[in-house]
Structure formats: structure tokens, C-alpha cells
Amino acid sequence: MAYISLSPAVQCIVTALKCDLDWTIVSFLLQEIPNSLKNRALVLTRYNNDVDDLAAALCNMILLGPSSSGERRPPGPDTYRNSPARFSRLELHCHVFPVLASLASYHTALAPPLQQRLIKCLEFGATKVTTESERGYSRQEKCITALTTCTLEMEREMVKLLPEVLLNLSKISITTSIAIPILEFVSMLTRLPKLFSNFVGDQYMSVFAICMPCTNPFKYNHYTVSLAHHVIAVWFLKCRFNFRRDFVRFITNGLRANIIIPFEEGINLLSKSTTSTLVNEDSSNRKRSSSLTEQILGHSDPNGTLSVVWPRARPLRSVADHSAPFSPPAPGLER
């Protein structure tokens, strides 16, 4: 049986990402690398570990590491030829972040310093770069989901960077497309006590600041609002007792700013700018299986009037039926 080493092929890809200036080639590699990384047995060999070099080359396309301080800046839109018109740095990052997100599951093959660089790049994609395009929202969602994976797989390195990640997440404007991934990320942290055992008041404030905007029922759907209330309640129970008194006023003020004040200002839920998917649903409109309304039959005549036909009730027994004299059983029927 013959074995074929893929190390030369991986090194060729790494060299192309570092040195090739043709955007047609670089974009093709960035598009196909995530599909190749799905096969871990093919990528992780016994004698060679090229994932480190691949991750370092990709991270350098976003943020240069400490050892690269004297080198050139990260590649920009004017670095490559054959690039599309109006090619921006954001478009370049949107091609790189999906590849970085797929590397989150290769934590065992990455050195600890490289794991920290990977987390910082994903944080940069989730917080620092903002856009109104659909691809930008998809990129943010992938980066936040990858941060969740990094938190589970790289717990030792995430402990050092988690306060900064939470602080930066609390500063962004949470849109409807990334609200659920962010809330799921914050909710998942409550299952890992080692990550927040050394939290101080500022870290808890960052968590509550992330969740507060998602409690607005006029902007987010019913599931998002319910999840935000759940996360706030769980984190309030997880925090230390001496911090709770300070958080009560912060939470009540946040709920008032996102729920009571918009309601008092008379926000129109049925305006043209608000779609039906964004309107907060009320569980009172749900159909009850044992409701009496299911037994009511509605019939409308040609004039358009509605006539209600109530179900036929069981006939009541008269008093005479209850006062009938008792007759003993016939002989032979007794036990």
C-alpha cells in the first residue's frame, strides 16, 4: 500500500496565499479550502502538520502577528490584480473569514499563540468590520458561530481573551440577523463556569449590555426577545451576590429603555417598514386544543351575517326521574 503525502500541496497553497497577486487564483483557493478542510483525516497527517502554516497565512491576511511587525501591511484591495470593480478590503475579508471559521475545529493542531490570533481575527470579523450588505451579515454570523466553537474547543486560550471579546460585542449594533447567534454565544458561556469564575463587575455589565437591546419587542421577533430575557435571568443568577444590587438598576433601566419607552412613544407595529416576521408574536393568539371555540360552528348566510350555532347539550333529567321509587331486583338476579 502506497501513501501519498499532501504536505507539498498544502505548502503550495500557503505560498500562493502569501505571494500570489492574482485575485482569480487567490479567490479560488479561499473558496475551495473550506471544502477540503471538511476531511480531517486527509488534512491531519501523522508526520506533518501544515495547519499551522495555513492558519498563520490566513491570519496575516486579516491581522499581522507580532513577528510580522516589520513586514508589509495586510493585503488590501489594491494588492491584487484582476480584482473586480470597486473591490474593497471588506470584500477581501468576507472571503477569508469563512476559511478561518472552518479552522476552529482544528484546535489540537494549532499552537496556543496561533489559537489566540485565530480568536482575535474572528473577533475582528464579528465586531470591527460593519456593513449593510447581505454578505457582511453572513460573515458576522459565521464569525460569531466560530467564536462559539473556539470557546468550547480552546477554553484555556479563550479565558484570556473573553473579557475583551465581550466588551467589543457590547459596542456593536446588534441587527436581527446576528441577534440569535450572539445570544446563543452568551448563553453558552453560562455552561462553562471556568470561563466566568474570575469575572468582575465590568464583564457582567458587558453581558447585560449585549442582551438588553434584544429585549425590544418592536424590533426583534418573539424567540429573540424570549431568549434575551432568559439569558439575562440566568446571568443574574450566575453572578456573585455582592454584584446583584448594582445590576438591578442597570437591568431595570435597560428594560425600560427598550420596552416601556418605545411603547409609550407609540411605535406602530403594523407600519410598512416592519415586516410580519419582525413583529413580536403573542402566545394569546395561539389555538387552544380544549377551547370552547372549537365546539362552536359558525355559519354565514348570503347576506354576510354570521349566525352561531351552539352545540346541542345533553337533556337534563327531571326531578321525577330522580324521585322514582326503588324497586328491588327480580328473584334469580341477586348474587
Side-chain angles (χ1 to χ4, degrees):
M1 181 180 294
Y3 295 93
I4 300 177
S5 176
L6 296 179
S7 181
V10 177
Q11 291 299 327
C12 181
I13 294 175
V14 172
T15 304
L17 293 176
K18 289 181 178 180
C19 305
D20 205 314
L21 301 180
D22 191 347
W23 176 245
T24 305
I25 298 176
V26 175
S27 62
F28 176 78
L29 293 176
L30 294 176
Q31 183 179 358
E32 296 299 329
I33 288 176
N35 296 328
S36 301
L37 291 176
K38 294 179 181 179
N39 193 338
R40 292 176 59 89
L42 185 65
V43 176
L44 297 178
T45 60
R46 182 176 181 181
Y47 302 102
N48 297 318
N49 183 15
D50 302 308
V51 181
D52 266 349
D53 297 334
L54 179 61
L58 293 169
C59 290
N60 285 336
M61 299 180 72
I62 305 296
L63 299 172
L64 290 180
S67 60
S68 305
S69 57
E71 300 179 3
R72 61 183 178 88
R73 297 176 56 189
D78 54 347
T79 305
Y80 301 99
R81 60 178 182 270
N82 297 329
S83 59
R86 297 182 179 180
F87 185 63
S88 61
R89 187 180 298 272
L90 177 61
E91 293 293 329
L92 172 62
H93 290 168
C94 289
H95 285 81
V96 179
F97 283 123
V99 189
L100 289 175
S102 61
L103 285 174
S105 59
Y106 285 84
H107 63 284
T108 56
L110 301 177
L114 195 55
Q115 292 181 10
Q116 295 184 13
R117 290 189 60 194
L118 177 61
I119 294 173
K120 290 181 179 180
C121 289
L122 294 174
E123 175 201 346
F124 181 84
T127 60
K128 296 296 189 300
V129 184
T130 57
T131 179
E132 299 296 332
S133 63
E134 183 178 355
R135 175 177 290 186
Y137 289 145
S138 176
R139 181 262 311 158
Q140 281 186 300
E141 184 178 356
K142 289 181 180 179
C143 290
I144 295 171
T145 305
L147 281 176
T148 305
T149 306
C150 291
T151 305
L152 295 172
E153 303 290 350
M154 312 174 193
E155 186 174 344
R156 181 176 301 178
E157 303 302 326
M158 196 66 180
V159 171
K160 308 172 185 178
L161 302 175
L162 186 57
E164 182 181 357
V165 172
L166 292 176
L167 179 61
N168 292 328
L169 286 177
S170 64
K171 296 178 181 179
I172 66 174
S173 178
I174 301 179
T175 59
T176 55
S177 59
I178 64 174
I180 293 179
I182 289 182
L183 291 175
E184 290 176 347
F185 169 73
V186 179
S187 177
M188 182 269 305
L189 295 177
T190 60
R191 306 283 182 169
L192 304 173
K194 294 182 180 180
L195 292 178
F196 62 88
S197 59
N198 296 326
F199 271 16
V200 295
D202 294 339
Q203 279 80 56
Y204 288 110
M205 285 291 188
S206 299
V207 172
F208 293 132
I210 293 172
C211 302
M212 284 301 170
C214 299
T215 59
N216 190 340
F218 305 107
K219 184 178 180 181
Y220 303 96
N221 56 26
H222 185 66
Y223 174 76
T224 304
V225 175
S226 302
L227 182 59
H229 283 282
H230 169 75
V231 175
I232 292 173
V234 172
W235 270 105
F236 184 79
L237 296 176
K238 292 289 184 179
C239 68
R240 301 177 185 177
F241 288 100
N242 54 343
F243 290 154
R244 293 185 180 180
R245 178 178 298 180
D246 300 330
F247 296 153
V248 169
R249 178 173 297 180
F250 180 79
I251 294 175
T252 53
N253 291 338
L255 294 177
R256 175 176 175 79
N258 290 281
I259 301 177
I260 304 300
I261 293 180
F263 180 77
E264 292 176 350
E265 292 176 353
I267 296 181
N268 188 6
L269 295 179
L270 300 179
S271 60
K272 297 181 180 180
S273 60
T274 305
T275 59
S276 60
T277 57
L278 299 181
V279 178
N280 189 27
E281 300 174 358
D282 188 2
S283 60
S284 61
N285 295 329
R286 297 178 182 175
K287 188 178 181 181
R288 266 64 173 181
S289 59
S290 60
S291 176
L292 182 61
T293 56
E294 294 183 356
Q295 303 177 14
I296 301 177
L297 304 178
H299 302 277
S300 58
D301 55 10
N303 297 329
T305 59
L306 180 65
S307 59
V308 179
V309 180
W310 293 89
R312 181 177 299 178
R314 296 177 59 184
L316 298 177
R317 298 180 62 184
S318 61
V319 179
D321 296 336
H322 292 280
S323 60
F326 173 76
S327 57
L333 297 179
E334 299 178 353
R335 289 188 177 181

